[in-house]
């Protein structure tokens, strides 16, 4: 391991040790779909301190469907048996009012999965209704500064719907998970160039968390022996970076299902922790991360309001999109493709939940 990587790790540990001397009020975190595959992995990672550090106490609420009440109770039993010191309270419920009351962080994992014979429009319609209800519940019960991360797919459009039905909560407080895609991309590049994955920085996921997403390495670097190299320079194969790599990242979830016969769980939960941690604790200097955020009509010429993944930096609990990055013709074509899909999703979903 090169000395620069070791130094960064020690600095990271030092920040955590310093935090141990700080006493702060507990943070209220709600996880929906908490007894499902992703939720089960996630709540244990939260207990281990992955979300906000090992010294921040958390009041953790697990929200599930009534039909999953037994699985919910079993998950709570296991959490208690872990005896995680940072979990001040562990609560479980099947009711929105109890689940979202006063919550500071809402992680919306639960969503209707695609079933046999279900068309894309049917999946969008079913989830649009679910996330409309959750938006209304957040509006009614959550903290006015609640930070919301939507994980359940289609995550980008579900995040947009949730925000639409929680009008008193700032749109900037609603995000969708694309950090999993960034983590996948970083791992693939690290393997390709024989680097440590933590030394791969600034791969950008643009657009939708779907097969149209664009994993872009134009800003990405790799640290080796204290020297920063561009990913393009180390890989030296633009044809692979523009096709096989992009497709591998976009289709990784499907590849995992084919092998595991189940969808990604631990990797998704880990990405959730990365997303929330960086949002609230802050990103490292010179590093940006991919987050689905709701557009304001000014970002990169995207006039329509959608939840679009951009490169972001975070400080003091605020997200700032990295602006001014230039797109060439190939990049623009990929952006146009994923934006087109998001607009189609928006039209289909909102036709179900918005009464004219």
């Amino acid at each position: 391991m090169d000395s620069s990587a070791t130094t960064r790790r020690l600095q990271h540990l030092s920040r955590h040790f310093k935090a141990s001397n700080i006493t702060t009020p507990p943070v209220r975190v709600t996880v929906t779909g908490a007894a499902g595959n992703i939720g089960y992995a996630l709540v244990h990672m939260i207990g281990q301190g992955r979300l906000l550090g090992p010294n921040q106490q958390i009041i953790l609420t697990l929200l599930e469907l009534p039909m999953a009440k037994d699985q919910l109770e079993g998950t709570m039993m296991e959490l208690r048996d872990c005896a995680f010191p940072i979990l001040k309270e562990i609560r479980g419920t099947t009711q929105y009012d109890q689940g979202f009351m006063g919550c500071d962080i809402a992680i919306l994992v639960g969503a209707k999965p695609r079933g046999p014979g279900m068309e894309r429009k049917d999946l969008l319609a079913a989830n649009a209704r679910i996330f409309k209800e959750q938006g209304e519940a957040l509006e009614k019960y959550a903290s006015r500064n609640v930070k919301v991360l939507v994980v359940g797919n289609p995550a980008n459009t579900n995040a947009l719907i949730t925000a639409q039905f929680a009008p008193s909560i700032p749109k900037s407080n609603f995000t969708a998970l694309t950090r999993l895609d960034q983590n996948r991309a970083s791992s693939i590049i690290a393997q390709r160039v024989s680097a440590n994955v933590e030394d791969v920085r600034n791969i950008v996921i643009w657009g939708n968390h779907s097969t149209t997403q664009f994993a872009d390495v134009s800003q990405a670097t790799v640290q080796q022996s204290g020297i920063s190299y561009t990913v393009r320079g180390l890989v030296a194969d633009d044809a692979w970076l523009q096709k096989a790599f992009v497709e591998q990242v976009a289709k990784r979830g499907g590849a995992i299902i084919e092998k595991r016969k189940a969808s990604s769980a631990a990797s998704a939960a880990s990405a959730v922790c990365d997303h929330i941690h960086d949002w609230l604790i802050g990103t490292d200097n010179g590093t940006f991360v991919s987050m689905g955020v709701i557009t304001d009509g000014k970002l990169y010429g995207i006039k329509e309001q959608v939840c679009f993944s951009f490169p972001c930096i975070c400080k003091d609990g605020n997200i700032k999109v990295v602006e001014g990055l230039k797109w060439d013709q190939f990049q623009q074509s990929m952006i146009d493709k994923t934006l087109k899909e998001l607009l189609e999703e928006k039209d289909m979903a909102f036709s179900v939940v918005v009464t004219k």
Side-chain angles (χ1 to χ4, degrees):
M1 181 184 302
D2 70 65
S3 59
S4 61
T6 302
T7 299
R8 287 198 300 277
R9 183 173 286 106
L10 290 173
Q11 289 172 340
H12 178 72
L13 289 172
S14 175
R15 286 197 294 272
H16 281 311
F17 286 131
K18 289 177 181 177
S20 66
N21 297 319
I22 300 173
T23 302
T24 57
V27 174
R28 297 176 181 270
V29 177
T30 298
V31 177
T32 73
N37 286 335
I38 296 173
Y40 180 85
L42 174 59
V43 295
H44 287 84
M45 291 183 187
I46 291 173
Q48 292 165 347
R50 284 284 313 277
L51 198 72
L52 298 173
N55 305 298
Q56 174 62 62
Q57 285 198 318
I58 288 173
I59 297 172
L60 180 60
T61 299
L62 285 62
L63 178 59
E64 260 296 354
L65 297 171
M67 67 183 69
K69 187 176 180 180
D70 285 346
Q71 293 91 327
L72 171 62
E73 291 176 354
T75 301
M76 293 174 65
M77 290 166 67
E78 281 219 85
L79 271 175
R80 292 190 173 113
D81 291 349
C82 288
F84 292 125
I86 70 166
L87 295 185
K88 183 176 177 62
E89 292 183 47
I90 301 168
R91 303 172 177 175
T93 184
T94 60
Q95 303 298 317
Y96 281 149
D97 57 349
Q98 297 175 31
F100 289 125
M101 184 64 70
C103 80
D104 302 301
I105 300 171
I107 305 172
L108 309 185
V109 178
K112 185 176 180 62
R114 191 166 190 163
M118 181 180 283
E119 295 184 9
R120 180 164 162 254
K121 65 179 180 181
D122 298 324
L123 180 67
L124 282 161
N127 279 297
R129 296 185 184 97
I130 292 170
F131 285 87
K132 174 186 177 182
E133 291 177 358
Q134 293 187 357
E136 291 170 339
L138 288 165
E139 173 72 11
K140 191 170 183 179
Y141 301 113
S143 160
R144 295 304 83 188
N145 195 37
V146 62
K147 308 297 187 186
V148 182
L149 170 58
V150 176
V151 181
N153 287 318
N156 296 60
T157 297
N158 289 342
L160 186 66
I161 291 169
T162 307
Q164 178 73 20
F165 289 93
S168 72
I169 299 170
K171 293 288 189 293
S172 57
N173 285 23
F174 293 85
T175 62
L177 184 70
T178 57
R179 183 61 172 270
L180 175 57
D181 306 301
Q182 181 182 335
N183 287 352
R184 288 167 169 167
S186 297
S187 176
I188 292 167
I189 291 297
Q191 287 184 292
R192 176 83 177 198
V193 302
S194 300
N196 298 317
V197 70
E198 69 261 35
D199 292 329
V200 180
R201 295 186 178 187
N202 297 351
I203 294 177
V204 179
I205 304 298
W206 299 96
N208 200 6
H209 174 64
S210 74
T211 55
T212 69
Q213 67 178 252
F214 173 37
D216 177 18
V217 302
S218 63
Q219 306 298 318
T221 61
V222 177
Q223 295 286 326
Q224 291 186 337
S225 301
I227 301 173
S228 180
Y229 299 90
T230 66
V231 166
R232 286 187 66 192
L234 285 178
V235 172
D237 188 344
D238 280 352
W240 179 81
L241 287 170
Q242 292 183 358
K243 185 168 177 59
F245 167 69
V246 170
E247 291 179 356
Q248 187 177 354
V249 176
K251 297 178 180 179
R252 184 70 164 184
I256 289 171
I257 290 173
E258 184 177 344
K259 295 294 185 182
R260 286 191 73 232
K261 312 306 177 189
S263 59
S264 306
S267 58
S270 181
V272 167
C273 292
D274 292 339
H275 178 113
I276 296 291
H277 182 276
D278 286 349
W279 185 357
L280 297 181
I281 306 301
T283 49
D284 291 337
N285 290 335
T287 299
F288 41 78
V289 295
S290 299
M291 307 174 83
V293 301
I294 296 177
T295 54
D296 60 3
K298 302 174 184 177
L299 296 169
Y300 287 93
I302 298 174
K303 303 299 183 184
E304 304 85 356
Q305 188 174 77
V306 292
C307 183
F308 197 94
S309 181
F310 292 101
C312 300
I313 55 176
C314 305
K315 185 177 181 181
D316 300 327
N318 298 311
I319 300 170
K320 178 177 173 55
V321 172
V322 177
E323 299 187 61
L325 304 183
K326 303 299 181 183
W327 297 333
D328 61 20
Q329 187 174 358
F330 167 73
Q331 291 168 309
Q332 184 67 62
S333 69
M334 298 298 288
I335 299 296
D336 291 345
K337 180 181 178 182
T338 194
L339 177 59
K340 180 176 182 291
E341 181 184 55
L342 279 170
L343 291 172
E344 290 171 353
E345 285 187 7
K346 177 183 177 180
D347 288 344
M348 283 189 278
F350 273 76
S351 69
V352 175
V353 296
V354 176
T355 302
K356 296 182 180 179

